[in-house]
C-alpha cells in the first residue's frame, strides 16, 4: 500500500516538509528582479534572518550607494561590495539579497559560489523596467535611457547569472507565488546535492 504522503508516486508530505538550509541563500539578478521583495518573504518562510547587502554597504560606508558611485566611482564600490559580502558570507545561514552587479564581479562570484546556494531571479525587460521606473536611486540607471541600460546589462550579465545554482523566473505574478517557486527549486537543488551522481 502506498504511504500516507504518496499519491500516484508524488510524495505530498515531502513538498510540505520544512526546508532546512545548510548555508546562506544568496539572491542574484538585475535591478528590479525582486531580490529584496522575494528575499524578505523567503527569509520569513525559512525562519532565517534577511540581510540586504546594499544596506550593509551603505551602513559600512556611512553614505548612500549613489554617493559612493559619485565620490569614489564604480571600481571602489565593487571593492567595498566584495568586502561586505565576504563578511556576510561568514555569518550563520541567512537569506542574502545582493546588488545586481555583485555576482558579475569574478571574486565576489567565486565567494558566493563557495559559501552560498545562489538563486538567480530571472526577469524579462518589461518586468524589470516596470519595477525600477518608479524609483530614481540607482546610479547605473541615471546614465542614459534606463530601459536601454537594462537591456544592455541583460545581454552582458544574463550568461553569468545563468551560472547560479538555481534559476527561477520572476514575473508579474504575486511575490508570494514566486517565493513558493524559489522554495521548491531550492528543495530540488538541495536534493541533487545529497544524491551523488
Ligand atoms: C547595481 C545594482 C544595485 C546597487 C548598485 C549597482 C548593479 O542594486 O548595488 O546600484 O550593478 O546592477 P540592486 O540590484 O539591488 O538595485
Amino acid at each position: 500500500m502506498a504511504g500516507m504522503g504518496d499519491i500516484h508516486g508524488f510524495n505530498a508530505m515531502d513538498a510540505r516538509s520544512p526546508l532546512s538550509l545548510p548555508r546562506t541563500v544568496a539572491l542574484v539578478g538585475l535591478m528590479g528582479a525582486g531580490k529584496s521583495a522575494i528575499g524578505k518573504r523567503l527569509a520569513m518562510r525559512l525562519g532565517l534572518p534577511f540581510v540586504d547587502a546594499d544596506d550593509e554597504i551603505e551602513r559600512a560606508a556611512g553614505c548612500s550607494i549613489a554617493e559612493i558611485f559619485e565620490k569614489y566611482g564604480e571600481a571602489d564600490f565593487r571593492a567595498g561590495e566584495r568586502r561586505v559580502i565576504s563578511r556576510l558570507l561568514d555569518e550563520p545561514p541567512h537569506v542574502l539579497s545582493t546588488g545586481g552587479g555583485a555576482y558579475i564581479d569574478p571574486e565576489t562570484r567565486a565567494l558566493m559560489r563557495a559559501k552560498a546556494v545562489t538563486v538567480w531571479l530571472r526577469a524579462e525587460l518589461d518586468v524589470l523596467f516596470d519595477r525600477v521606473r518608479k524609483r530614481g536611486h540607482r546610479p547605473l540607471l541615471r546614465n542614459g535611457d534606463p530601459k536601454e541600460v537594462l537591456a544592455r546589462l541583460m545581454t552582458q550579465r544574463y550568461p553569468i547569472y545563468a551560472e547560479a545554482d538555481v534559476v527561477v523566473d520572476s514575473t508579474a505574478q504575486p511575490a508570494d507565488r514566486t517565493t513558493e517557486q524559489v522554495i521548491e527549486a531550492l528543495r530540488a537543488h538541495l536534493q541533487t546535492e545529497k544524491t551523488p551522481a
Side-chain angles (χ1 to χ4, degrees), residues 120-174:
W120 173 25
L121 293 177
R122 177 175 59 191
E124 289 181 354
L125 181 58
D126 285 342
V127 172
L128 297 171
F129 182 61
D130 203 50
R131 293 189 187 140
V132 302
R133 71 202 302 178
K134 296 151 205 156
R135 300 182 62 202
H137 67 292
R138 292 179 168 102
L140 293 184
L141 298 181
R142 289 179 181 170
N143 302 322
D145 177 67
K147 200 166 186 177
E148 278 172 23
V149 174
L150 282 172
R152 196 187 65 237
L153 290 174
M154 283 176 81
T155 309
Q156 294 168 350
R157 293 178 173 183
Y158 273 24
I160 300 172
Y161 293 142
E163 293 174 20
D165 296 313
V166 170
V167 181
V168 173
D169 284 311
S170 175
T171 63
Q173 72 183 350

Side-chain angles (χ1 to χ4, degrees), residues 34-144:
K35 292 165 296 193
S36 300
I38 304 297
K40 283 176 192 160
R41 288 168 170 80
L42 186 62
M44 191 92 86
R45 288 283 311 271
L46 298 177
L48 290 174
F50 171 74
V51 181
D52 185 307
D54 281 349
D55 288 350
E56 294 292 320
I57 295 165
E58 292 187 333
R59 205 194 317 270
C63 63
S64 72
I65 285 176
E67 284 166 337
I68 303 174
F69 268 74
E70 232 169 77
K71 284 192 205 157
Y72 309 105
E74 183 169 351
D76 276 12
F77 169 75
R78 295 296 168 206
E81 180 177 57
R82 204 179 298 131
R83 281 193 299 274
V84 167
I85 290 180
S86 171
R87 167 175 61 80
L88 295 171
L89 289 171
D90 284 336
E91 290 183 3
H94 56 276
V95 175
L96 177 64
S97 162
T98 64
Y103 196 71
I104 307 305
D105 178 273
E107 268 184 63
T108 310
R109 179 164 73 254
L111 282 170
M112 287 165 73
R113 293 199 56 76
K115 296 187 174 176
V117 187
T118 50
V119 178
W120 173 25
L121 293 177
R122 177 175 59 191
E124 289 181 354
L125 181 58
D126 285 342
V127 172
L128 297 171
F129 182 61
D130 203 50
R131 293 189 187 140
V132 302
R133 71 202 302 178
K134 296 151 205 156
R135 300 182 62 202
H137 67 292
R138 292 179 168 102
L140 293 184
L141 298 181
R142 289 179 181 170
N143 302 322

Side-chain angles (χ1 to χ4, degrees), residues 1-14 16:
M1 200 181 101
M4 282 277 288
D6 198 311
I7 306 162
H8 305 301
F10 170 75
N11 194 322
M13 290 304 279
D14 181 57
R16 271 183 252 119

